[in-house]
């Protein structure tokens, strides 16, 4: 199987997964009419309930609703929020950009730091550095996310006053407008991003350290590395140019899985820091029973996960041709 056939096959799998996700998403939220649950909470009159069901197309046959739902999600038309009455597509763009900024920043730092510490731990196997990094990884993986976030807020925001207590930008920007300089705006938003990103880095970096260490230990005993060392190559080149490349396949899988977890699991972090991303939006939508918003959120997160796995498959095929020819 050539590279084109491999890409085409993975693309078909990804499209099929998208259709399955849409179907499951539709079935979950249609088990009971969302308007009925919304109405019981707000104590709406029967005529108000009927008006809402007509407005949201809930009185149409099930197959017609599914086909419209399929068309709307494939074209990213998510309808209107039960809570605000505003277009969900507009809110998705701002919320998703905030969450991607948070998750991508945290993931890049965690991967880089995890690879570095993991390689050092494998090279220093059985020594103090190996023990310290391994214990650090196990401890940070077991700490609750909310505890880490609240501790960082207490130390760096409340006690020292070095960072803001929450949000993604200063509240006064909504009144006085944004700064004229784009660089100033970017720097301020990054300042607001640091503590939430640090929280995600702390809970994810340990997994990369342990996996990198385990993968490197399997490779470091190979004969070709001994040959490279005998030829005079430095330890840095042997470790990072040759050994790490051959140990990278399980690491790539872990990156994709961890990013999907971070993207969907940032709910706690964003809620603690009042960060206006997908995670905080999920919490608000659950509280308000905003079904259209929840459907859009779950669909967007699923698309990001599927796209991430598709990208990993492509990287697999590029790094190890045996995979696409297998």
């Amino acid at each position: 199987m050539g590279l084109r056939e491999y890409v085409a096959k993975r693309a078909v799998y990804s499209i099929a997964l998208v259709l399955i996700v849409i179907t499951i998403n539709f079935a979950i939220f249609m088990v009971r009419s969302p308007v009925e649950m919304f109405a019981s909470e707000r104590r709406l009159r029967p005529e108000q309930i009927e008006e809402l069901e007509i407005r949201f197309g809930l009185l149409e046959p099930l197959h017609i609703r599914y086909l419209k739902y399929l068309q709307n999600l494939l074209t990213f038309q998510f309808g209107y929020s039960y809570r605000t009455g505003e277009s969900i597509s507009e809110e998705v763009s701002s919320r998703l950009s905030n969450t991607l900024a948070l998750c991508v920043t945290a993931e890049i730092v965690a991967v880089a730091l995890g690879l570095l510490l993991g390689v050092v731990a494998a090279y220093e196997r059985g020594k103090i550095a190996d023990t310290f990094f391994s214990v650090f990884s196990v401890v940070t993986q077991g700490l609750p996310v909310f505890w880490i976030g609240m501790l960082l807020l207490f130390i760096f925001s409340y006690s020292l006053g070095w960072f803001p207590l929450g949000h993604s930008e200063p509240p006064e920007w909504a009144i006085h407008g944004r700064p004229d300089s784009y660089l100033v705006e970017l720097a301020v938003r990054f300042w607001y991003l640091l503590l939430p990103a640090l929280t995600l880095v702390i809970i994810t970096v340990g997994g990369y350290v342990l996996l990198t260490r385990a993968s490197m230990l399997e490779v470091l005993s190979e004969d070709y590395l001994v040959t490279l060392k005998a030829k005079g190559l430095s330890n840095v080149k042997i470790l990072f140019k040759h050994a790490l490349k051959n140990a990278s396949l399980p690491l790539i899988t872990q990156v994709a899985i961890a990013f999907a977890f971070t993207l969907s699991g940032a709910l706690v972090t964003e809620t603690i820091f009042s960060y206006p991303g997908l995670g905080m939006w999920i919490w608000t939508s659950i509280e308000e029973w905003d079904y259209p918003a929840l459907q859009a959120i779950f669909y967007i997160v699923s698309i990001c996960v599927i796209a991430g796995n598709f990208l990993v498959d492509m990287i697999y095929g590029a790094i190890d041709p045996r995979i696409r020819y297998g």
Side-chain angles (χ1 to χ4, degrees), residues 15-54:
I15 293 172
L17 281 176
V18 171
L19 295 177
I20 292 173
V21 165
I22 292 175
T23 304
I24 294 176
N25 205 6
F26 176 81
I28 289 175
F29 289 96
M30 289 299 116
V31 171
R32 182 181 176 188
S33 172
V35 171
E36 292 181 7
M37 301 183 69
F38 182 78
S40 63
E41 176 74 14
R42 300 298 176 88
R43 298 180 181 180
L44 300 180
R45 297 189 302 273
E47 56 271 19
Q48 292 177 313
I49 297 176
E50 184 178 358
E51 181 181 350
L52 285 175
E53 289 179 334
I54 294 174

Side-chain angles (χ1 to χ4, degrees), residues 227-277:
T227 304
L228 291 175
K229 189 172 184 178
K231 289 182 177 180
L233 266 69
S234 65
N235 289 331
V236 174
K237 287 186 177 181
I238 293 174
L239 289 173
F240 289 95
K241 185 177 180 180
H242 299 280
L244 185 58
K245 180 180 179 180
N246 291 330
S248 61
L249 287 183
L251 298 174
I252 294 172
T253 303
Q254 178 65 17
V255 170
I257 296 175
F259 180 75
F261 168 78
T262 305
L263 188 63
S264 58
L267 187 152
V268 177
T269 304
E270 291 184 0
T271 303
I272 291 173
F273 291 93
S274 300
Y275 189 83

Side-chain angles (χ1 to χ4, degrees), residues 173 176-188:
W173 282 6
H176 304 292
R178 301 178 182 276
D180 296 333
S181 173
Y182 178 74
L183 292 178
V184 172
E185 178 182 349
L186 189 63
V188 173

Side-chain angles (χ1 to χ4, degrees), residues 6 8 23 27 45 73 75 78 83 102 136 141 159 177 186 199 203 208-209 216 244 253 291 296 306:
Y6 177 77
T23 304
R45 297 189 302 273
L73 260 63
T75 56
F78 302 115
R83 180 171 56 91
L102 172 62
F136 168 80
Q141 279 188 305
S159 300
L186 189 63
T199 302
I203 65 172
Y208 292 124
V209 173
M216 288 291 294
L244 185 58
T253 303
Y291 275 57
I306 293 172

